[in-house]
Amino acid sequence: MTENLPKNPAAPKSTALLWTVVGGSIATVASTFLAWTWTTAFPGNLTVYGYPAELQLLTLVGAVLTAAHALSALGIKGLGWLTPTGARKATWILALGTFATTLFTALAIIVELGALVDLEPGAGVAVLAAALAAIAAYKLPDDTRKASPAKELPSWAEILLIVVVFAIGLFVVTFGIDTDDSEPQLFIAYLILVGFTATALIKSGLLARVSAITARNRQVTVTASLAAAIAFPFIQQSGDTYTLIAVNILIFATVALGLNIVVGLAGLLDLGYVAFLGVGAYTAALVSGATSSAFGVQFPFWASALTGMAASLVFGVIIGAPTLRLRGDYLAIVTLGFGEIFRIAMGNLDGTSGPKITNGPNGIPNIPQLEFFGYNFGESHTVLGIELGAYANYYLLMILVMALVIIVFSRAANSRIGRAWVAIREDETAATAMGINGFRVKLVAFALGAALAGLAGTVQAHVNTTVVPENYVFAGPVPPNSAFLLAAVILGGMGTINGPILGSALLFLIPAKLQFLQDYQLLGFGVALILLMRFRPEGLIANKRAKLEFHENDEQPAVPEPRPSEESGVGTAKAGA
């Protein structure tokens, strides 16, 4: 009977294309062990045979991931878990990312050294092989399907998987932060590959499956994430050089989480939020024993932190009480005015234009380092046989601060008042009709967000050892400022915890690493936000409500029912009798 069944003509073609992808990826991997240029004048030393440099390592990783996904589509045993919702899109995105990374490196060599002849044959092989894999992956038939229920894993296996995932994430983040600032080519190639890889993992359904496992093991996930964050300064190869970037990212992310309460949960557009960060920083500087402080007092850090939070909270109430009856653009304009008033006022409290409190434009310098029970944060210390510099000390402190902010945010969002914030955000008129006191609820959000920003400001003052008004503007070349904070919340995903953290990391790390593009930062962020609003309006990490709202009219891919004589997926053709 099987002799009369019609064969699927697409199966041999699909199999051939998949093996072409695998072959191109293997050739790309081999090319990374060849020299790509003849001179060490190009950063990264791509002249060595038999040992991939960092730029070549990125191409190697992309090619390996592409080959693995193609083999998964071929039905190779043990690799099916890579593509729960289909292999074609993920394979093509990975192949395209590998090609883009490789082509960028080759073009950078030509531009940097000035001639095409500066490329060694290894670079040509890499570009051609990566292009071949990308073209073959593009021509694959679409095999998008609904993910089948995942096989239940033993508890120990799920815990091990979570540990491995966070270990890989720690390595990827550390690799990006540790890239040499004098080699922007490496960081740009890193961004290209990470961006394509993340997109591919989403399209393949693998990220959703891992997220389901982490949701089932919430305590293990929290412990693993905390352990990975704490381990960061201990694995730094360059000492304290790049830990300062991590500290500033954490400060930026903490403030963004506070703004996320105001914008993401309550739906209040605040364009002057950075002023609350400044209130906390100035308060801590005035009461921490700085030589130029007008008060001449020195509180312990816990007291200065509480004082900074209280001052920011009071300012939040003072500003919010008369303005939160406004809505939309009117509220945004008022908060923008408050931010500018704060900056100008701090510049005028110099003893000439006003009382001598903040030293005007000169700010408050020489803020002393923190000290807990004899542990000076400004000095290096040896912990577990590893020397931690001053910024590593502040990094660990900010981990604790961010953990506190995350707990406050999550508890508030899931509480009764958090549900009231969401109701106000969705429809204030309907929420008021249901008995919610809109003004009071919004004032609580404004005050809580301001207090969290003030807490971050107290640490920022000690990290920078100087507080000046120019640090707290609406828009400027160096984050955090109000525009960058709002962009971080929108880019990452409003109303979530991980979203603003990811957005803050991207918006701080990219300008810090690509300083040669400083004049074009705002243009770049504007283009990025336009593209984001077009293709992913819910943000990089969206909550379920936002994702459903923005994609409720999207058409779901129709998956035809396979005939008895046809294979149910790419590369799983049944041999006819």
Side-chain angles (χ1 to χ4, degrees):
M1 292 179 62
T2 56
E3 294 179 356
N4 298 326
L5 294 177
K7 296 182 179 180
N8 186 351
K13 180 181 178 181
S14 300
T15 303
L17 288 172
L18 285 169
W19 280 115
T20 302
V21 175
V22 174
S25 299
I26 293 175
T28 305
V29 170
S31 70
T32 61
F33 292 87
L34 305 175
W36 285 12
T37 184
W38 61 274
T39 173
T40 58
F42 185 80
N45 191 9
L46 306 182
T47 65
V48 180
Y49 284 85
Y51 185 81
E54 288 182 320
L55 276 167
Q56 294 169 314
L57 185 63
L58 294 175
T59 295
L60 186 150
V61 171
V64 169
L65 291 175
T66 303
H69 279 70
L71 291 173
S72 172
L74 282 166
I76 301 300
K77 187 176 181 180
L79 293 177
W81 56 270
L82 280 174
T83 55
T85 59
R88 187 265 174 185
K89 289 184 179 179
T91 304
W92 177 62
I93 293 171
L94 284 169
L96 184 61
T98 305
F99 171 69
T101 304
T102 307
L103 181 63
F104 168 78
T105 303
L107 293 176
I109 294 173
I110 297 173
V111 173
E112 182 77 16
L113 301 181
L116 182 62
V117 295
D118 291 311
L119 291 176
E120 287 288 298
V125 172
V127 172
L128 293 177
L132 175 64
I135 294 172
Y138 176 74
K139 291 183 174 295
L140 288 170
D142 190 6
D143 64 340
T144 303
R145 58 183 180 271
K146 184 177 180 180
S148 58
K151 181 181 179 181
E152 289 292 334
L153 297 175
S155 298
W156 65 266
E158 291 191 344
I159 294 174
L160 180 60
L161 177 62
I162 293 172
V163 172
V164 171
V165 167
F166 276 96
I168 295 174
L170 176 61
F171 173 79
V172 172
V173 171
T174 303
F175 185 93
I177 293 179
D178 283 354
T179 54
D180 194 343
D181 293 349
S182 63
E183 300 180 12
Q185 301 90 344
L186 177 59
F187 184 72
I188 295 174
Y190 163 83
L191 286 180
I192 294 172
L193 183 63
V194 169
F196 276 96
T197 302
T199 305
L201 293 179
I202 294 173
K203 293 296 184 181
S204 68
L206 182 60
L207 194 61
R209 185 155 290 181
V210 172
S211 299
I213 294 176
T214 58
R216 289 198 300 267
N217 301 271
R218 186 172 299 275
Q219 292 183 349
V220 176
T221 302
V222 172
T223 303
S225 60
L226 185 60
I230 293 175
F232 173 79
F234 291 92
I235 62 175
Q236 287 292 292
Q237 302 296 324
S238 53
D240 232 19
T241 304
Y242 298 112
T243 311
L244 176 60
I245 295 178
V247 175
N248 285 318
I249 288 175
L250 290 179
I251 294 174
F252 192 6
T254 302
V255 182
L257 280 173
L259 179 61
N260 199 23
I261 293 177
V262 179
V263 176
L265 295 181
L268 306 173
L269 185 56
D270 188 348
L271 300 182
Y273 186 76
V274 75
F276 298 123
L277 175 70
V279 171
Y282 266 101
T283 302
L286 290 171
V287 301
S288 295
T291 55
S292 56
S293 172
F295 298 154
V297 296
Q298 185 170 2
F299 290 179
F301 174 69
W302 64 268
S304 64
L306 291 178
T307 305
M309 289 182 65
S312 296
L313 187 148
V314 169
F315 270 86
V317 173
I318 292 175
I319 298 302
T323 61
L324 287 178
R325 299 187 187 278
L326 301 173
R327 298 187 187 181
D329 299 340
Y330 301 101
L331 177 62
I333 293 172
V334 170
T335 54
L336 175 61
F338 163 65
E340 290 301 300
I341 289 172
F342 169 78
R343 179 181 62 83
I344 295 172
M346 294 301 102
N348 287 336
L349 298 179
D350 57 357
T352 302
S353 302
K356 187 175 182 180
I357 299 177
T358 64
N359 294 322
N362 296 325
I364 303 176
N366 302 321
I367 300 172
Q369 301 289 343
L370 294 180
E371 188 169 343
F372 285 160
F373 303 105
Y375 187 95
N376 192 314
F377 279 61
E379 299 176 355
S380 298
H381 298 273
T382 301
V383 179
L384 301 178
I386 300 175
E387 185 177 355
L388 297 180
Y391 295 131
N393 299 325
Y394 284 108
Y395 171 86
L396 295 175
L397 175 62
M398 277 307 304
I399 289 293
L400 296 178
V401 172
M402 172 166 280
L404 174 63
V405 172
I406 289 175
I407 292 173
V408 172
F409 181 92
S410 60
R411 295 293 184 183
N414 295 322
S415 66
R416 180 178 180 180
I417 195 170
R419 294 191 292 272
W421 286 337
V422 173
I424 290 291
R425 182 192 67 194
E426 297 300 324
D427 192 330
E428 185 172 352
T429 303
T432 303
M434 296 300 294
I436 295 176
N437 188 327
F439 172 75
R440 183 184 301 171
V441 167
K442 290 190 291 184
L443 187 60
V444 170
F446 216 70
L448 180 58
L452 296 181
L455 175 60
T458 60
V459 180
Q460 185 196 43
H462 291 281
V463 172
N464 296 338
T465 68
T466 301
V467 179
V468 292
E470 285 72 21
N471 288 342
Y472 310 103
V473 297
F474 169 71
V478 180
N481 52 61
S482 292
F484 276 63
L485 288 168
L486 187 61
V489 174
I490 297 174
L491 175 67
M494 294 189 295
T496 64
I497 293 177
N498 297 330
I501 296 176
L502 176 61
S504 301
L506 293 176
L507 291 184
F508 192 95
L509 187 60
I510 293 175
K513 291 295 183 181
L514 304 180
Q515 296 183 5
F516 68 97
L517 294 176
Q518 204 167 46
D519 295 337
Y520 302 96
Q521 282 183 20
L522 293 180
L523 174 63
F525 290 144
V527 172
L529 287 175
I530 291 173
L531 294 176
L532 184 72
M533 292 300 101
R534 171 59 183 85
F535 297 104
R536 196 171 177 84
E538 71 273 20
L540 297 177
I541 301 177
N543 58 23
K544 294 181 179 179
R545 181 193 299 271
K547 192 171 184 179
L548 291 174
E549 288 178 353
F550 283 110
H551 297 282
E552 60 182 354
N553 295 324
D554 290 359
E555 294 184 0
Q556 298 296 326
V559 182
E561 291 292 333
R563 298 179 182 177
S565 60
E566 296 178 347
E567 59 286 333
S568 58
V570 177
T572 57
K574 298 179 181 179

